[in-house]
Amino acid sequence: MNSNDYSKIYKSSLLDNVMPFWLAHSKDEQGGYFTCLDRFGHVFDTDKFVWLQGRQVWMLATLYNKVERRSEWLDFAKHGADFLLKHGMDGDGNFYFALNREGKPLVQPYNIFSDCFAALGLGGLYSATGMDEYAEMARKTFLNIISRRDNTKGKYNKLYPGTRDLKGFSLPMILSNLSVELEHILDRQLVDQLIEDVIHEVMEVFYQEDSGLILENVYVDGSFCDSFEGRLVNPGHILEAMWFIMDLAVRKNDRKLINKAIAIALRALDFGWDTEFGGILYFKDIKGHPPQQLEWDQKLWWVHIEAMICMAKAWQLTGDAQCRAWFEKLHSYTYGHFSDPDYGEWFGYLNRRGEVLLPLKGGKWKGCFHVPRGLFQLWKTMDAISERQTN
């Protein structure tokens, strides 16, 4: 297939298959969104996970801002944001991890990614509405994230201090994207400095030159920690981060950074690809030891669509045949195993052989985010490739 054919597939998947699933099944008339949905869209649990609430607000607002000004998208985004603002925070402005259906707290605000995606969603909704309360809360939450970045869990951190002090890759990875998504409500100097900081963290500190890979955890001074946590590699995180970095490199007009990001992404695919059954393994140990995570060999939806975005952008930016070949390989595997044309959306969890492990379409970790965001990114990237080939 050519890029135009792929573009049509992704646009149709987004608008005719995936978003209709969430619009039809995820609204709780009492407030917020249900995310625990089975294959058919039936609600199997009514708890609400704050980071998924924020992600869905952002996704709906983004479609409204960038695809079409459909009132159903905007109204649904406001519906989730109202629930977040009413129930999502403790008295200090930190977002809880989980709420019950009515909005009462279930899990304390230990997870900074609740704050990250609440800020993301509210910032996107401000772009759609111009309502200052959304911008003010997004800005306040973002600055709170920055203030917590050296101890994200605060008083909820269960690790003993001083013995093995590690820092994780996830937050700088997210900040590399979040800072740009919120730049319309933030000080430009803050955004520019933060971009430089996270590029350094991702591409110099967590990146290991000897292996060509990025680790999930390193000592606070950036050195390697020979432990379960220190040896952990998540290929999906690397691939998602590398398309974030590519976007920043385009912004900076930095060809060297683009090339380094693509080289790391290709190395992650070589390292993470399951040569026996196909697909990308969830976790690996950088030294080849048994991983601590028992789900290490599962195939997850978000890993594969993020890999597709990464290779699509690499193909767009370079025209490289290896990147295109990887993209086509990933498309074939992903659409052949995760997509559910009969009932909409995608399965989230496969076993190593590529068989559906859990028939859910949403849960505690999967919501209206990776699949629709990925389809939007892929649709627009394929359009850009087609335009370049035409000119």
Side-chain angles (χ1 to χ4, degrees), residues 119-170:
L120 183 72
L122 294 169
L125 193 51
Y126 170 69
S127 295
T129 65
M131 293 177 62
D132 289 339
E133 70 169 319
Y134 297 138
E136 289 168 9
M137 186 53 66
R139 187 184 302 110
K140 179 181 177 181
T141 302
F142 184 85
L143 295 175
N144 189 31
I145 293 165
I146 298 303
S147 72
R148 292 171 56 192
R149 63 195 288 200
D150 292 332
N151 183 16
T152 61
K153 295 184 180 181
K155 63 184 179 181
Y156 305 111
N157 193 337
K158 64 183 180 182
L159 297 178
Y160 190 87
T163 305
R164 183 182 291 160
D165 292 335
L166 301 174
K167 59 181 179 179
F169 174 61
S170 298

Side-chain angles (χ1 to χ4, degrees), residues 239-311:
L239 291 158
E240 183 178 9
M242 289 308 99
W243 76 256
F244 293 167
I245 295 295
M246 278 186 252
D247 281 358
L248 294 179
V250 170
R251 172 193 176 104
K252 291 164 53 67
N253 193 28
D254 188 337
R255 175 57 59 175
K256 184 177 179 181
L257 184 59
I258 290 172
N259 292 339
K260 183 174 181 179
I262 292 172
I264 293 171
L266 291 170
R267 175 72 184 105
L269 282 167
D270 285 334
F271 184 75
W273 188 258
D274 185 344
T275 56
E276 185 174 0
F277 295 104
I280 302 169
L281 297 165
Y282 192 16
F283 293 112
K284 290 188 76 175
D285 184 290
I286 200 165
K287 290 190 171 183
H289 300 312
Q292 186 177 27
Q293 291 78 8
L294 301 181
E295 68 274 25
W296 70 274
D297 65 346
Q298 289 180 19
K299 312 293 168 61
L300 270 67
W301 84 104
W302 71 264
V303 170
H304 290 76
I305 198 160
E306 299 300 336
M308 288 172 67
I309 300 168
C310 187
M311 284 298 101

